[in-house]
Amino acid sequence: MANYKPGYADPMLENPSSSCKLTKNSGGVGVCLMNNSWREQQHPSFINFISSFLTANSFRLNFVPVSPDLIFNCGGLSVAFIFVTQWDCCNVESIFSRAKKLSGQFAHLYVVVNLSTKEQNDSFVRSYFNYEMQLGRPTFVPVQDIEMGFEKIVKIAHSCGVCKQQDAKSKLKVEKNQSVQGMENFLRVVTSIPGINNHDANALNQAIGSIEGIAKASKEHILETTDLSADKAETLVRFFRDSKFYLSPKIN
């Protein structure tokens, strides 16, 4: 397959990370939704190639009346594609008008354009600027043959899905760290109360859940929901409500 660098492609696509490369064991299971009308315009052998390529990479293929030519649902993310398999130098307005329209409907939209000749490539470059397209809105990905184009589409969709999953894992990790830090702060504050140890603090956290809740809890409620002694429950109530108690000096 020829070496071809797209002039207007997303930079992340030119050097994808190893985690985004398609392999049978990469876990890249997803769904490809193909526009019925677009399918009818393609040669049957190309549709067979698409079907085989998707199966080899653990994607299901469904034919539906969607607005783009293709939509991939991968890793919890939907990525839409316009796939121009035949560039007509005399009829380019509809392509750019459609790209502008769909870019307002889909957050992740790519336009893959098959430019197999220098004339087509020159026509594309002129048209891109004539129709005042904004760079990356949407991203155009020129290719030199339709098989390369579809392989590029699947790699883009898979890359976006992997990145989405990585972002979700990172967010969960941050939330977990924040939860751990919050628990540490809770224990530090509650165990600073005279007579209250780590076991007591954990029991209060499970039963009441917050320092504000402990401050508002009655002695009876603390005794009913925890295994703290009556003396400790009394200490907690006095600590948060009796200024003479919490302002007086404590000697350990």
Side-chain angles (χ1 to χ4, degrees):
M1 198 168 284
N3 244 339
Y4 187 81
K5 284 195 174 182
Y8 299 89
D10 191 329
M12 70 171 279
L13 305 178
E14 297 199 18
N15 294 295
S17 65
S18 58
S19 65
C20 293
K21 291 181 180 178
L22 286 178
T23 64
K24 291 184 179 181
N25 297 321
S26 64
V29 177
V31 180
C32 172
L33 307 178
M34 181 181 291
N35 180 292
N36 290 319
S37 299
W38 184 86
R39 173 196 181 188
E40 294 171 358
Q41 297 169 8
Q42 311 307 316
H43 194 279
S45 62
F46 183 47
I47 299 301
N48 289 336
F49 166 80
I50 289 175
S51 179
S52 298
F53 190 80
L54 290 173
T55 300
N57 288 286
S58 303
F59 281 88
R60 297 198 315 272
L61 175 61
N62 294 330
F63 302 102
V64 291
V66 292
S67 298
D69 297 327
L70 301 159
I71 297 178
F72 279 77
N73 294 323
C74 182
L77 187 72
S78 292
V79 187
F81 295 89
I82 296 174
F83 191 5
V84 183
T85 55
Q86 294 181 341
W87 179 266
D88 184 355
C89 299
C90 299
N91 184 25
V92 299
E93 181 179 359
S94 60
I95 296 172
F96 289 99
S97 297
R98 186 180 179 215
K100 288 181 177 180
K101 179 180 179 181
L102 292 181
S103 65
Q105 300 175 9
F106 293 89
H108 304 278
L109 175 69
Y110 293 81
V111 183
V112 178
V113 187
N114 177 33
L115 305 171
S116 56
T117 68
K118 184 179 185 302
E119 179 186 7
Q120 289 177 331
N121 187 71
D122 292 344
S123 171
F124 167 75
V125 173
R126 287 195 305 270
S127 301
Y128 185 90
F129 291 105
N130 287 341
Y131 287 94
E132 299 179 345
M133 300 301 296
Q134 294 182 11
L135 191 64
R137 295 177 58 86
T139 296
F140 280 75
V141 185
V143 295
Q144 283 190 315
D145 62 67
I146 56 178
E147 288 81 8
M148 173 194 286
F150 190 75
E151 291 177 11
K152 184 75 73 173
I153 284 172
V154 177
K155 287 183 178 181
I156 292 171
H158 184 263
S159 298
C160 291
V162 169
C163 292
K164 172 73 173 180
Q165 291 176 330
Q166 290 175 344
D167 288 344
K169 290 178 181 178
S170 297
K171 186 175 181 180
L172 287 174
K173 186 176 180 180
V174 170
E175 291 176 351
K176 181 180 179 180
N177 289 338
Q178 290 176 341
S179 177
V180 170
Q181 291 174 0
M183 184 60 183
E184 290 176 349
N185 291 334
F186 177 89
L187 291 175
R188 189 177 298 112
V189 171
V190 176
T191 55
S192 69
I193 299 172
I196 305 300
N197 57 34
N198 278 336
H199 171 81
D200 301 329
N202 281 307
L204 290 164
N205 178 63
Q206 293 176 9
I208 301 176
S210 68
I211 294 173
E212 182 181 5
I214 296 172
K216 294 179 180 179
S218 65
K219 176 180 177 180
E220 291 73 20
H221 180 67
I222 294 173
L223 291 173
E224 288 174 3
T225 56
T226 71
D227 60 356
L228 270 69
S229 66
D231 288 343
K232 290 185 176 182
E234 178 67 24
T235 296
L236 286 168
V237 172
R238 291 186 62 196
F239 180 84
F240 287 106
R241 299 181 188 178
D242 187 347
S243 60
K244 293 181 181 179
F245 180 84
Y246 64 72
L247 292 178
S248 62
K250 306 294 187 300
I251 300 176
N252 294 326

